[in-house]
Amino acid sequence: MSPPQSPNSTMTESRDQVRPLAPASHRIHVENDEQGINSTFMSSMELSKKRRRKRCINCCSCCGVTTIIIVVIIIILAFTVFKAKDPTIRMNSIKFTGLSSLTSSSNLQTNVNITVSADLSIKNPNAVSLKFSSATTSLMYDDRVIAEAFTPPGNAKARRTFQMTVNVTVMVEKLVGIPRLASDLVARELPLSMSTSIKGRVKILVIKKSVGIRMNCSMVVDLQTQEVKNMDCKRKVSL
């Protein structure tokens, strides 16, 4: 039979049995703290992601709205201020020299040349410049080309008028083989026509448009006064 235990020994044993429970409660407290820190960190990361996503959406929205506004402005300008308009060409004056050699069909001086000087102007109503390549001018008699000239390329500035002078030289010997020349010399009138063709382009914003200008003028030249009368010009512009 075991001896009776004292109250002090019983309390000592109970203390010894309770001591190992202290580290466990401490670990639970530390784990709870770590879980709280992790949850706080995760929530802050999610909040940061949401903020970045919101900034990205706002930035994309601003870019999209700005792009739409720019496109609308370009369309409005293209149909108003920068709308392509037809240029116009005009025959200001024309002068013949050397017609005195045309007296009669039996006394033609074939070694003499006739010079034709034409003053042309091209009006550009567009808000951008009109660039054109070399122009071709042909002088015709009885539907036959008797002389041809080429003018160098040019540039008609925006809303300005560009003037050009075309000089054409006609060799009299080219007129000899035309049957109706004898009757025209008797009448002292020479019916002629002059055709000018110009090709160019207009650049409106990022769009380039080709321009074709053509003018055909018919006239009657008085061989006595060397003056031009009954001049009629027809124009055609393709844009």
Side-chain angles (χ1 to χ4, degrees):
M1 187 172 180
S2 58
Q5 295 181 355
S6 64
N8 291 334
S9 62
T10 304
M11 292 178 62
T12 301
E13 289 179 358
S14 61
R15 286 194 191 123
D16 292 339
Q17 291 177 358
V18 172
R19 281 178 185 173
L21 297 176
S25 63
H26 180 68
R27 283 197 301 272
I28 292 172
H29 180 70
V30 171
E31 288 176 357
N32 291 334
D33 291 342
E34 289 179 354
Q35 289 178 358
I37 293 173
N38 291 335
S39 62
T40 304
F41 180 72
M42 293 297 293
S43 61
S44 62
M45 286 186 63
E46 290 179 358
L47 182 61
S48 178
K49 288 181 179 179
K50 289 181 179 180
R51 288 177 179 176
R52 285 198 300 268
R53 191 181 301 112
K54 186 177 181 180
R55 285 197 298 266
C56 184
I57 293 173
N58 292 335
C59 182
C60 292
S61 301
C62 292
C63 292
V65 172
T66 305
T67 303
I68 293 173
I69 293 174
I70 293 174
V71 171
V72 171
I73 292 174
I74 292 174
I75 293 174
I76 294 174
L77 291 176
F79 284 94
T80 55
V81 179
F82 293 100
K83 183 180 179 180
K85 301 176 182 178
D86 293 343
T88 56
I89 186 171
R90 179 181 178 184
M91 174 76 74
N92 299 318
S93 63
I94 186 168
K95 183 180 179 181
F96 288 81
T97 56
L99 290 175
S100 57
S101 60
L102 298 177
T103 54
S104 63
S105 58
S106 60
N107 192 23
L108 283 177
Q109 301 177 26
T110 57
N111 59 343
V112 179
N113 295 333
I114 300 172
T115 303
V116 184
S117 180
D119 182 20
L120 308 176
S121 63
I122 301 174
K123 185 178 181 180
N124 179 21
N126 293 287
V128 294
S129 60
L130 167 64
K131 296 181 179 180
F132 54 87
S133 57
S134 58
T136 304
T137 301
S138 302
L139 186 67
M140 290 165 286
Y141 172 61
D142 196 24
D143 295 331
R144 300 184 187 183
V145 178
I146 57 176
E148 200 169 36
F150 300 93
T151 54
N155 183 14
K157 295 182 180 180
R159 298 189 176 94
R160 294 291 186 274
T161 300
F162 179 82
Q163 290 189 336
M164 61 183 349
T165 301
V166 180
N167 295 316
V168 183
T169 302
V170 183
M171 299 181 66
V172 176
E173 61 182 10
K174 286 189 175 182
L175 300 175
V176 176
I178 299 177
R180 66 170 295 173
L181 179 62
S183 60
D184 289 337
L185 292 179
V186 172
R188 308 299 293 169
E189 290 183 345
L190 199 65
L192 298 171
S193 63
M194 177 176 283
S195 177
T196 302
S197 178
I198 302 174
K199 292 182 179 180
R201 66 179 182 181
V202 176
K203 184 177 180 181
I204 302 174
L205 298 179
V206 294
I207 302 174
K208 294 181 180 179
K209 288 192 173 183
S210 299
V211 180
I213 306 172
R214 187 175 183 86
M215 181 176 63
N216 188 15
C217 297
S218 60
M219 67 201 78
V220 176
V221 183
D222 192 325
L223 297 179
Q224 289 183 338
T225 61
Q226 299 191 19
E227 293 181 356
V228 178
K229 58 183 182 180
N230 300 332
M231 186 167 64
D232 182 24
C233 294
K234 296 181 179 179
R235 304 163 184 87
K236 183 179 180 181
V237 178
S238 58
L239 182 60

mmCIF file of all heavy atoms in Angstrom, residues 22 68 102 123-125 148 174 179 211 218:
data_model
loop_
_atom_site.group_PDB
_atom_site.id
_atom_site.type_symbol
_atom_site.label_atom_id
_atom_site.label_comp_id
_atom_site.label_asym_id
_atom_site.label_seq_id
_atom_site.Cartn_x
_atom_site.Cartn_y
_atom_site.Cartn_z
ATOM 1 N N ALA A 22 2.256 25.818 -22.310
ATOM 2 C CA ALA A 22 2.592 27.227 -22.554
ATOM 3 C C ALA A 22 3.173 27.436 -23.941
ATOM 4 O O ALA A 22 2.753 28.325 -24.674
ATOM 5 C CB ALA A 22 3.526 27.729 -21.458
ATOM 6 N N ILE A 68 -10.681 59.490 -80.896
ATOM 7 C CA ILE A 68 -11.962 59.752 -81.565
ATOM 8 C C ILE A 68 -12.105 61.239 -81.889
ATOM 9 O O ILE A 68 -12.538 61.616 -82.986
ATOM 10 C CB ILE A 68 -13.127 59.265 -80.685
ATOM 11 C CG1 ILE A 68 -13.102 57.728 -80.575
ATOM 12 C CG2 ILE A 68 -14.463 59.723 -81.254
ATOM 13 C CD1 ILE A 68 -14.112 57.174 -79.591
ATOM 14 N N LEU A 102 3.604 85.392 -144.357
ATOM 15 C CA LEU A 102 2.477 84.728 -145.021
ATOM 16 C C LEU A 102 1.747 85.757 -145.889
ATOM 17 O O LEU A 102 0.811 86.428 -145.458
ATOM 18 C CB LEU A 102 1.533 84.116 -143.988
ATOM 19 C CG LEU A 102 2.116 83.024 -143.085
ATOM 20 C CD1 LEU A 102 1.064 82.576 -142.084
ATOM 21 C CD2 LEU A 102 2.620 81.860 -143.888
ATOM 22 N N LYS A 123 -5.158 79.306 -111.392
ATOM 23 C CA LYS A 123 -5.613 79.733 -110.071
ATOM 24 C C LYS A 123 -5.878 78.515 -109.205
ATOM 25 O O LYS A 123 -6.641 77.625 -109.567
ATOM 26 C CB LYS A 123 -6.886 80.574 -110.198
ATOM 27 C CG LYS A 123 -7.360 81.154 -108.868
ATOM 28 C CD LYS A 123 -8.581 82.015 -109.058
ATOM 29 C CE LYS A 123 -9.049 82.606 -107.729
ATOM 30 N NZ LYS A 123 -10.258 83.455 -107.894
ATOM 31 N N ASN A 124 -5.217 78.484 -108.040
ATOM 32 C CA ASN A 124 -5.366 77.362 -107.110
ATOM 33 C C ASN A 124 -6.212 77.804 -105.921
ATOM 34 O O ASN A 124 -5.751 78.544 -105.049
ATOM 35 C CB ASN A 124 -3.991 76.889 -106.631
ATOM 36 C CG ASN A 124 -4.075 75.741 -105.645
ATOM 37 O OD1 ASN A 124 -5.077 75.033 -105.578
ATOM 38 N ND2 ASN A 124 -3.023 75.547 -104.875
ATOM 39 N N PRO A 125 -7.484 77.367 -105.825
ATOM 40 C CA PRO A 125 -8.354 77.786 -104.713
ATOM 41 C C PRO A 125 -8.196 76.939 -103.450
ATOM 42 O O PRO A 125 -8.880 77.192 -102.452
ATOM 43 C CB PRO A 125 -9.748 77.622 -105.304
ATOM 44 C CG PRO A 125 -9.612 76.463 -106.237
ATOM 45 C CD PRO A 125 -8.202 76.529 -106.795
ATOM 46 N N GLU A 148 4.775 72.430 -131.156
ATOM 47 C CA GLU A 148 4.549 71.916 -129.803
ATOM 48 C C GLU A 148 5.625 72.458 -128.879
ATOM 49 O O GLU A 148 6.782 72.621 -129.280
ATOM 50 C CB GLU A 148 4.557 70.387 -129.809
ATOM 51 C CG GLU A 148 3.878 69.757 -128.610
ATOM 52 C CD GLU A 148 3.687 68.271 -128.785
ATOM 53 O OE1 GLU A 148 4.586 67.625 -129.383
ATOM 54 O OE2 GLU A 148 2.646 67.739 -128.358
ATOM 55 N N LYS A 174 6.069 73.817 -142.598
ATOM 56 C CA LYS A 174 5.066 72.841 -142.178
ATOM 57 C C LYS A 174 3.675 73.219 -142.664
ATOM 58 O O LYS A 174 2.786 72.375 -142.733
ATOM 59 C CB LYS A 174 5.068 72.708 -140.649
ATOM 60 C CG LYS A 174 6.268 71.949 -140.108
ATOM 61 C CD LYS A 174 6.094 71.676 -138.632
ATOM 62 C CE LYS A 174 7.231 70.812 -138.109
ATOM 63 N NZ LYS A 174 7.062 70.480 -136.672
ATOM 64 N N PRO A 179 -3.631 71.685 -147.512
ATOM 65 C CA PRO A 179 -4.401 72.122 -148.694
ATOM 66 C C PRO A 179 -5.148 73.436 -148.516
ATOM 67 O O PRO A 179 -5.217 74.252 -149.432
ATOM 68 C CB PRO A 179 -5.369 70.958 -148.943
ATOM 69 C CG PRO A 179 -4.714 69.776 -148.306
ATOM 70 C CD PRO A 179 -4.001 70.309 -147.111
ATOM 71 N N VAL A 211 -4.518 65.758 -110.372
ATOM 72 C CA VAL A 211 -5.277 66.829 -111.001
ATOM 73 C C VAL A 211 -4.909 66.876 -112.478
ATOM 74 O O VAL A 211 -3.724 66.869 -112.834
ATOM 75 C CB VAL A 211 -4.990 68.192 -110.345
ATOM 76 C CG1 VAL A 211 -5.800 69.298 -111.016
ATOM 77 C CG2 VAL A 211 -5.295 68.146 -108.861
ATOM 78 N N SER A 218 -9.760 78.058 -129.510
ATOM 79 C CA SER A 218 -9.832 78.256 -130.962
ATOM 80 C C SER A 218 -9.842 79.758 -131.250
ATOM 81 O O SER A 218 -10.427 80.537 -130.483
ATOM 82 C CB SER A 218 -11.080 77.587 -131.543
ATOM 83 O OG SER A 218 -12.252 78.122 -130.963
#
